[in-house]
């Protein structure tokens, strides 16, 4: 199968990037999208050209490393999956495919399709934890947790930190990411003790890092490869206001 | 000559660890603040160690090659994490967990280490729960358990099919807390390319900044490797594509003995290879075998759709061969049985390299909802990849390279044969013998990092409280840096014609065919020669485009594949030496009449620890005798 690939090429963080077009006839419908890029890279390397740089590691939708804009959508045209799970069977022979890195002020481009998502780590460092030292935990059954709360916490906890929500949002807001973490801890008795400090610190750091405001467009939820719900954002807002009031 | 001293404390098995903790030397809080520790790796082992050491007051430098510590390969673990809690009241105990692991490992692991891991397993679960890890719960609000292959109790804690992710995010959160306190400094997108040894002690590492290409020096009073396993030697495996052996390998070349390198676990349930471009194989968790039944058609080449093959034409070969454990036999047994059926021509799919894993009966009995609750995300993943739904028809599965029991040799304190160099998690060899039981790696990696290393490292650092910060402008650092630079220079100037990946694929094929699920002398010897030739070809004809001083993924891969040729040689050397079959290591020359592995305890009840003596020089074997005082050594039977 043949595809026309228009790929964003940028040597490093300071150089200016541009789209480069590749007519590639080595694709096949059984390939994953990333395997197709691997195959393209093989042909580039054999010609002595620089391959297209992109992040990936687990290639099974759980590490959050991959992630790129494909034909105007984060992770491509199929909802609820990461880029590494995108299959070439969703593309037509002869189709033009435009591939770009995430575009957000807080995620500067490092090279080609690779961006710097360290801002997410910084938000987590600001308060995304429960302060408990090794050796000080009570027996795991000492604090029972209502099953439906625990299930909700799980649903919030499955964020893979890929950055799709930020990339999908016209304001480049990180609210879905932050809210998922805040929710997970707010739903657990163990997390309640520091809940107020946590939400304030994480929001403040998010603002400082240049993420935009949330205007409730819902694009984050619609594109999230893990289907994380914007109910989390509502919960975050509640947590935040009650933290501010008290 | 390196001598092995495993430093196992004396006294009864159940008291060894308590006694060690009570009598080991300590470093007082004021002195801890003056000491630096390098931890390479941010998987469960590395992240837990870095945060625990930070909590204790040490200054920690933590490294990973991913863009953030949260993406370490541990994130991909699916099925669960074991502990001897006995919450199910089904007769579990620390001793039984220990027993299962030693038996499951086919009596090739060290009693004292295994017992200790079983002992701390309960603390690990308590700690993760306190950190907010959302393990599955029952309606009473208590934690739920399920059973995993090779055991008869339910001791596995889980968070749907993404237990590794949840545990890792828990460990990452404790790491973040120490970063926020300034006790841990995080270095992401850094690859350790050399170990620095000063006066015989591990004192630092050389890294490459993967964004700028800059070569950097880092020093510390001790170095901890938590760098994972080498299962990607087969190229196609269930590991993350960037997983690699290089950090451990550099340490090995600098004097750390490498133990049982040929003990590699081939996991029975992975999605079979679908095409030639494939970069990895996706695991389908072992937990699926709790409800799924494995079968192939009774007649060769039966081309009917699996749903149309009636009961009497199906061969549930695991249930047939192993009535006591059925579909829940350990991984090595299940993998070999699948290979046996496929080699005999009964495999399904176009390639004949697959067997069915069928949920029909479970769905009929428990309802679709119950199955969805347990395995929903795995079924979805399967459907995303293959385009077929396991609710409607059987999954197709085949074995794949998955986990390495072998690794750097460590003593009871988790120290390698290089003073001050520790190895934890999958990178060491210690707990799983010749075969690892499901859900016991998350347990061991977390136990090593949170509960064991923080105690044992004090015993070493107690001698270092007067040692100031190690300077990096010394000859040892100069030399190590030069070695790294020379090698990178050499690699990039080859400018041949073939890609790094093409070499990795070819190496993987050699290893899969000759040093995979089943091995024999002739095949191993051929493989040795093939690897040697491939290595020469690589160093003459590999093509690495781009520059040294930039983000260069081909260069990264090339360094790792270059090391893999040497790892392959050692793996084969070990497999040749061990003429017995044990656990995952199946030597065709050593089997029973019905095709089961035949151990040779009289000659091989030892850990094979190999000493590197130089490029292409003969390896030197050191043996650590394994002594079983607390468990009766038996023929492992699951029949
Ligand atoms: C698909 C899959 C599913 C699994 N499921 C389970 C399960 O359900 N239960 C279970 O118990 N086990 C499971 N396992 C096994 C288990 O996940 C691993 O054994 C375990 O997570 C290894 O953890 P680790 O901390 O030792 O290493 P890893 O998680 O592999 O981490 C290695 C770290 O080292 C770093 N690193 C490596 N080399 C360098 C270098 N040169 N320089 C800098 N950094 C470096 C990496 O960046 C990374 O941070 C599974 C494994 C796979 C492949
Ligand atoms: S590579 Fe890990 S999520 Fe895609």
């Amino acid at each position: 199968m043949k595809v026309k690939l228009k790929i964003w090429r940028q040597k490093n963080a300071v150089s200016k990037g541009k789209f480069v077009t590749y007519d590639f006839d080595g694709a096949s419908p059984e390939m994953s999208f990333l395997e197709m890029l691997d195959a393209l890279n093989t042909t580039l390397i054999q010609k002595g050209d620089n391959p297209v740089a992109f992040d990936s590691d687990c290639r099974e939708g759980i590490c959050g490393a991959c992630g790129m804009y494909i034909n105007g959508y984060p992770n491509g045209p199929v909802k609820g999956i990461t880029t590494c799970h995108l299959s070439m069977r969703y593309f037509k022979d002869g189709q033009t495919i435009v591939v770009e890195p995430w575009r957000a002020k807080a995620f500067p481009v490092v090279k080609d399709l690779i961006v710097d998502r360290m801002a997410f780590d910084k938000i987590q460092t600001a308060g995304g934890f429960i302060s408990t030292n090794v050796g000080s935990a009570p027996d795991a059954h000492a604090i029972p947790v209502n099953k439906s709360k625990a299930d909700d916490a799980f649903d919030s906890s499955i964020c893979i930190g890929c950055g799709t929500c930020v990339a999908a949002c016209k304001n480049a807001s990180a609210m879905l990411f932050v809210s998922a973490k805040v929710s997970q801890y707010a739903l657990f008795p163990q997390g309640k003790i520091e809940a107020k400090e946590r939400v304030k610190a994480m929001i403040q750091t998010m603002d400082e890092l240049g993420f935009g405001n949330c205007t409730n467009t819902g694009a984050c939820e619609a594109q999230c490869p893990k289907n994380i719900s914007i109910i989390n954002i509502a919960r975050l807002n509640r947590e935040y206001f009650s933290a501010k009031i008290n | 000559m390196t001598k092995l001293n495993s430093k196992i404390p004396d006294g009864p098995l159940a008291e060894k660890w308590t006694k060690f903790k009570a009598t080991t030397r300590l470093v007082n809080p004021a002195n801890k603040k003056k000491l630096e520790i390098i931890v390479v790796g941010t998987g469960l082992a590395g992240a837990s160690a870095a945060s625990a050491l930070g909590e204790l007051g040490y200054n920690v430098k933590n490294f990973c090659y991913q863009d953030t510590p949260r993406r370490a390969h541990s994130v991909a673990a699916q099925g669960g994490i074991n502990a001897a809690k006995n919450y199910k009241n089904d007769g579990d105990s620390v001793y039984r967990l220990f027993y299962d692991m030693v038996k499951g490992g086919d009596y090739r692991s060290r009693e004292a280490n295994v017992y200790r891991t079983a002992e701390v397993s309960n603390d690990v679960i308590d700690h993760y729960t306190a950190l907010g890890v959302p393990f599955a719960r029952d309606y009473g609000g208590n934690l739920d358990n399920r059973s995993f292959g090779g055991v008869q109790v339910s001791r596995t804690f889980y968070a749907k099919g993404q237990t590794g992710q949840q545990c890792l995010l828990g460990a990452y959160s404790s790491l973040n807390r120490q970063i926020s306190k300034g006790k841990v400094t995080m270095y992401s997108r850094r690859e350790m390319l050399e170990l620095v040894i000063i006066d015989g002690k591990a004192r630092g590492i050389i890294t490459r900044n993967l964004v700028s290409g800059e070569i950097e020096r880092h020093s510390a009073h001790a170095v901890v490797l938590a760098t994972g396993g080498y299962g990607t030697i087969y190229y196609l495996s269930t590991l993350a594509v960037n997983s690699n052996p290089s950090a451990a390998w550099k340490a090995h070349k600098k004097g750390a003995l490498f133990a049982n390198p040929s003990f590699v676990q081939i996991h029975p349930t992975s999605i079979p290879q679908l095409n030639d471009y494939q970069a990895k194989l996706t695991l389908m968790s072992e937990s699926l075998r709790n409800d799924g039944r494995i079968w192939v058609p009774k007649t060769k080449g039966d081309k009917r759709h699996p749903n149309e093959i009636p009961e009497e034409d199906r061969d549930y070969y695991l249930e047939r061969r192993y009535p006591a454990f059925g579909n829940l036999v350990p991984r090595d047994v299940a993998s070999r049985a699948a290979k046996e059926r496929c080699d005999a021509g009964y495999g399904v799919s176009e390639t004949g390299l697959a067997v069915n894993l069928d949920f029909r009966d479970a769905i009929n009995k428990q309802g679709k909802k119950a199955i969805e609750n347990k395995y929903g995300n795995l079924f979805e993943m399967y459907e995303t990849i293959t385009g077929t739904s396991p609710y409607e028809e059987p999954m197709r599965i085949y074995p794949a390279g998955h986990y390495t029991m072998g690794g750097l040799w460590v003593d009871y304190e988790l120290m390698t044969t290089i003073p001050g160099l520790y190895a934890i998690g999958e990178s060491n060899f210690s707990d799983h013998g010749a075969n690892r039981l499901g859900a016991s790696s998350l347990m061991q990696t977390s136990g090593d990092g949170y509960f064991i290393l923080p105690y044992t490292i004090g015993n070493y650092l107690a001698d270092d409280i007067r040692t100031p910060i190690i300077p990096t402008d010394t000859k040892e650092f100069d030399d190590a840096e030069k070695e790294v630079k020379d090698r990178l220079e050499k690699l990039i100037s080859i400018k041949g014609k073939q890609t790094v990946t093409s070499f990795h694929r070819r190496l993987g094929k050699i290893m899969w065919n000759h040093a995979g699920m089943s091995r024999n002398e002739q095949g191993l010897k051929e493989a040795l020669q093939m690897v040697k030739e491939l290595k020469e070809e690589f160093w003459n004809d590999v093509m690495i485009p781009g520059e040294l001083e930039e983000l260069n993924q081909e260069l990264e891969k090339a360094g790792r594949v270059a090391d893999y040729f040497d790892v392959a040689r050692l793996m084969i050397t070990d497999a040749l030496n061990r003429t017995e079959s044990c656990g995952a290591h199946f030597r065709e020359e050593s089997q029973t009449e019905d095709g089961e592995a035949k151990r040779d305890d009289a000659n091989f009840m030892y850990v094979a620890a190999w000493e590197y003596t130089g490029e292409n020089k003969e390896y030197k074997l050191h043996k650590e005798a394994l002594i079983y005082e607390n468990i009766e050594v038996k023929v492992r039977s699951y029949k």
Side-chain angles (χ1 to χ4, degrees):
Chain A
M1 130 185 216
K2 236 187 200 148
V3 283
K4 190 188 270 297
L5 294 160
K6 287 175 78 173
I7 302 180
W8 184 261
R9 302 300 311 259
Q10 181 173 334
K11 195 169 164 43
N12 53 40
V14 292
S15 69
K16 251 182 85 175
K18 61 170 195 290
F19 279 106
V20 177
T21 305
Y22 303 92
D23 285 306
F24 183 57
D25 57 9
S28 90
E30 303 93 63
M31 287 177 168
S32 74
F33 189 82
L34 294 187
E35 282 158 9
M36 185 276 295
L37 287 184
D38 290 338
L40 170 75
N41 279 343
T42 301
T43 62
L44 293 178
I45 295 163
Q46 278 162 346
K47 281 191 272 175
D49 290 345
N50 278 321
V52 180
F54 62 91
D55 267 328
S56 80
D57 204 10
C58 73
R59 300 241 180 157
E60 56 183 58
I62 193 73
C63 75
C66 59
M68 52 190 82
Y69 248 84
I70 301 164
N71 279 350
Y73 294 99
N75 307 311
V78 185
K79 294 217 161 149
I81 58 171
T82 53
T83 297
C84 58
H85 268 165
L86 179 63
S87 162
M88 286 305 288
R89 64 176 179 263
Y90 295 108
F91 297 91
K92 288 197 275 303
D93 194 27
Q95 191 172 347
T96 300
I97 309 175
V98 184
V99 193
E100 292 174 79
W102 290 162
R103 305 284 189 193
K105 190 172 138 209
F107 291 164
V109 174
V110 174
K111 179 174 186 172
D112 296 341
L113 305 172
I114 297 180
V115 298
D116 176 346
R117 285 167 289 196
M118 231 118 83
F120 270 6
D121 287 323
K122 290 187 185 140
I123 296 176
Q124 300 275 40
T125 305
F129 47 76
I130 291 174
S131 299
T132 184
N133 274 3
V134 177
S136 61
D139 183 89
H141 274 179
I143 310 170
V145 181
N146 173 285
K147 177 165 165 56
S148 77
K149 280 227 161 128
D151 288 348
D152 287 349
F154 177 84
D155 290 342
S156 305
S157 73
I158 57 172
C159 167
I160 57 174
C162 60
T164 299
C165 49
V166 175
C169 174
K170 66 178 168 52
N171 310 316
S173 166
M175 279 293 266
L176 191 64
F177 170 78
V178 177
S179 70
K181 202 77 228 166
V182 166
S183 291
Q184 178 194 343
Y185 291 142
L187 285 159
F188 271 118
Q190 291 90 333
K192 287 234 190 308
I193 296 144
E194 299 161 284
K196 292 195 171 110
E197 294 77 24
R198 176 181 307 117
V199 67
K200 284 195 277 190
M202 288 178 81
I203 294 269
Q204 189 189 339
T205 309
M206 176 185 84
D207 290 342
E208 285 165 8
L209 288 167
F211 291 101
N213 290 325
C214 171
T215 53
N216 287 317
T217 65
C220 52
E221 178 190 67
Q223 298 298 334
C224 174
K226 296 290 142 185
N227 298 316
I228 291 179
S229 157
I230 48 173
I231 292 174
N232 288 297
I233 299 187
R235 207 181 279 124
L236 170 72
N237 286 332
R238 271 201 309 277
E239 289 285 320
Y240 187 64
F241 290 123
S242 89
K244 280 289 201 191
I245 290 163
N246 298 313
Chain B
M1 198 193 92
T2 323
K3 272 235 191 77
L4 294 180
N5 176 3
S6 47
K7 292 200 234 151
I8 299 169
D10 45 41
L13 184 66
E15 288 163 29
K16 286 183 196 291
W17 181 231
T18 311
K19 187 177 156 202
F20 177 90
K21 287 192 290 182
T23 53
T24 188
R25 293 179 305 162
L26 299 173
V27 178
N28 81 32
N31 285 329
K32 284 196 186 101
K33 280 190 220 149
K34 294 188 240 156
L35 294 171
E36 295 188 318
I37 302 173
I38 285 174
V39 178
V40 188
T42 60
L44 282 179
S48 59
S51 52
L53 295 169
E55 283 171 21
L56 286 174
Y58 295 109
N59 299 306
V60 181
K61 302 172 182 175
N62 194 192
F63 296 81
C64 71
Y65 53 69
Q66 288 91 349
D67 64 328
T68 150
R70 67 178 290 160
R71 304 205 207 287
H73 165 62
S74 292
V75 78
Q78 298 176 349
I81 174 166
N82 285 338
K85 283 283 192 189
N86 194 29
Y87 282 162
K88 288 277 172 182
N89 196 30
D90 57 0
D92 202 7
S93 64
V94 168
Y95 182 84
R96 193 176 288 277
L97 173 52
F98 153 80
Y99 173 92
D100 286 339
M101 282 177 76
V102 173
K103 177 186 171 201
D106 218 359
Y107 307 93
R108 292 294 175 266
S109 49
R110 193 191 282 150
E111 270 195 343
N113 285 51
V114 179
Y115 193 87
R116 177 179 59 186
T117 291
E119 246 180 308
V120 303
S121 67
N122 293 341
D123 299 333
V124 169
I125 295 302
D126 295 342
H127 190 56
Y128 279 136
T129 304
L131 285 173
V133 171
F135 289 124
R137 289 182 183 262
D138 59 24
Y139 286 99
N142 286 326
L143 297 174
D144 192 21
N145 292 122
R146 60 185 170 202
S147 75
F148 247 55
V151 305
Q152 290 174 313
V153 293
S154 291
R155 63 162 73 100
T156 303
F157 294 78
Y158 65 100
K160 285 212 179 138
Q162 45 211 81
T163 318
Q165 179 201 25
Q166 293 309 322
C167 290
L168 186 67
L169 292 182
Y172 165 72
S173 75
S174 63
L175 180 64
N176 277 323
R177 178 164 161 251
Q178 294 311 309
I179 294 173
S180 77
K181 292 184 165 183
K183 292 312 292 180
V184 176
T185 309
M186 188 64 227
Y187 298 87
S188 297
R189 289 206 200 268
R190 299 297 203 295
E191 181 160 3
M192 167 188 163
L193 292 180
E194 199 48 87
L195 176 72
V196 182
I197 297 183
I198 300 175
D199 297 334
K201 294 176 173 171
R203 292 297 200 192
I205 60 172
I206 305 290
T207 60
R208 181 165 178 273
N209 179 323
L210 299 182
V211 175
S212 66
E214 203 181 324
I215 304 300
E216 306 161 330
R217 305 173 176 201
H218 304 275
S219 70
H221 294 88
V223 177
V224 180
L225 297 185
T227 47
Y230 49 93
T232 43
I233 194 152
Y234 298 116
Y235 185 67
L236 286 177
S237 79
T238 62
L239 277 84
V241 293
N242 297 313
S243 293
N244 72 84
S246 289
W249 196 252
K250 307 295 180 197
H252 173 58
K253 285 177 86 169
K254 285 267 150 88
L257 300 197
F258 207 104
N260 300 336
S262 69
F263 289 174
V264 181
Q265 177 162 82
I266 311 292
H267 196 291
T269 56
S270 129
I271 302 179
Q273 185 175 358
L274 301 169
N275 65 61
D276 289 340
Y277 326 96
Q278 210 158 317
K280 76 157 296 181
L281 296 169
T282 300
L283 180 79
M284 287 286 110
S285 167
E286 169 161 5
S287 59
L288 294 168
R289 288 199 272 142
N290 275 322
D291 289 300
R293 297 178 68 197
I294 294 179
W295 64 275
V296 292
K298 273 190 184 155
T299 17
K300 281 186 199 179
D302 189 334
K303 289 280 170 253
R304 283 176 291 176
H305 187 277
N307 290 352
E308 263 129 50
I309 299 182
E311 205 58 19
E312 62 274 16
D313 292 347
R314 298 175 172 203
D315 176 16
Y316 295 93
Y317 57 87
L318 287 178
E319 297 168 26
R320 168 170 60 78
R321 284 178 67 176
Y322 308 101
F325 280 71
N327 292 293
L328 290 177
V329 291
R331 294 174 177 176
D332 54 337
V333 178
S335 290
R336 268 198 301 278
K339 179 174 163 31
E340 188 277 326
R341 282 295 78 189
C342 293
D343 287 354
Y346 295 91
V348 299
S349 91
E350 298 70 40
T351 58
L353 293 176
V355 299
N356 293 314
L357 176 61
D358 201 339
F359 295 89
R360 183 195 64 185
D361 296 350
I363 292 171
N364 286 344
K365 214 157 156 195
Q366 304 169 37
K368 192 176 161 192
K369 190 81 209 147
I371 296 300
E372 191 182 328
N373 265 336
K374 285 193 242 184
Y375 313 114
N377 62 332
L378 292 170
F379 279 30
E380 256 172 53
M381 183 163 20
Y382 183 87
E383 190 168 352
T384 306
I385 293 170
T386 63
T388 60
S389 163
Y391 296 109
E392 311 294 331
E393 57 184 272
M395 282 184 176
R396 281 174 172 173
I397 49 152
Y398 196 66
H402 179 64
Y403 178 88
T404 43
M405 283 73 72
L408 291 174
W409 185 90
V410 289
D411 60 21
Y412 188 72
E413 298 177 21
L414 304 181
M415 193 170 4
T416 67
T417 47
I418 299 175
L421 179 71
Y422 292 79
I424 59 174
E426 192 174 339
S427 73
N428 74 25
F429 87 105
S430 81
D431 286 5
H432 307 292
N435 173 54
R436 177 173 71 81
L437 289 183
S440 54
S441 175
L442 299 190
M443 165 178 76
Q444 178 231 332
T445 49
S446 312
D448 281 1
Y450 275 132
F451 292 98
I452 300 171
L453 180 81
Y455 280 96
T456 60
I457 205 168
N459 195 30
Y460 173 80
L461 289 174
D463 286 331
D464 256 340
I465 52 176
R466 280 178 204 85
T467 312
I469 300 289
I470 314 289
T472 57
D473 56 350
T474 57
K475 180 170 181 318
E476 290 86 352
F477 273 94
D478 290 347
D479 291 350
E481 184 180 298
K482 184 168 179 315
E483 255 178 81
V484 167
K485 287 187 165 161
D486 288 352
R487 188 170 191 253
L488 292 173
E489 199 68 63
K490 191 169 160 197
L491 278 168
I492 205 158
S493 48
I494 297 169
K495 295 281 178 243
K497 287 191 204 61
Q498 305 179 57
T499 64
V500 178
T501 302
S502 69
F503 282 103
H504 196 172
R505 272 184 204 282
R506 283 163 69 192
L507 176 68
K509 227 179 211 140
I510 296 173
M511 295 306 283
W512 181 251
N513 290 337
H514 299 276
M517 268 184 284
S518 136
R519 298 132 182 216
N520 61 54
E521 183 176 345
Q522 196 199 339
L524 288 166
K525 285 192 169 149
E526 279 167 25
L528 208 52
Q529 186 57 27
M530 286 189 269
V531 171
K532 188 166 172 247
E533 285 164 15
L534 192 63
K535 178 179 168 181
E536 272 162 30
E537 194 179 328
F538 172 89
W539 282 101
N540 285 309
D541 198 32
V542 72
M543 171 63 195
I544 303 160
E547 320 285 327
L548 292 177
E549 289 85 23
E550 64 171 349
L551 191 152
N552 188 336
Q553 294 174 316
E554 289 303 305
L555 182 66
E556 293 166 26
K557 285 192 265 177
R560 299 165 191 165
V561 172
D563 287 337
Y564 256 140
F565 295 119
D566 297 341
V567 177
R569 176 177 168 237
L570 179 58
M571 250 176 88
I572 298 169
T573 305
D574 186 45
L576 270 170
N577 171 65
R578 198 173 278 275
T579 53
E580 66 162 350
S581 293
C582 62
H585 171 64
F586 189 71
R587 278 290 299 261
E588 287 158 18
E589 299 91 335
S590 181
Q591 53 180 308
T592 62
E593 265 168 26
D594 47 356
E596 303 295 337
K598 200 162 115 196
R599 278 200 331 256
D600 176 359
D601 290 341
N603 292 304
F604 288 100
M605 195 122 78
Y606 64 77
V607 175
W610 297 92
E611 179 183 342
Y612 182 81
T613 57
E615 175 93 16
N616 295 327
K617 292 230 178 82
E618 198 123 311
Y619 263 99
K620 192 169 161 41
L621 173 63
H622 300 257
K623 297 179 183 177
E624 178 195 342
L626 291 167
I627 299 154
Y628 295 98
E629 292 171 330
N630 300 279
I631 188 167
E632 189 196 342
V633 179
K634 289 194 223 157
V635 173
R636 200 169 58 128
S637 168
Y638 295 91
K639 289 200 184 261

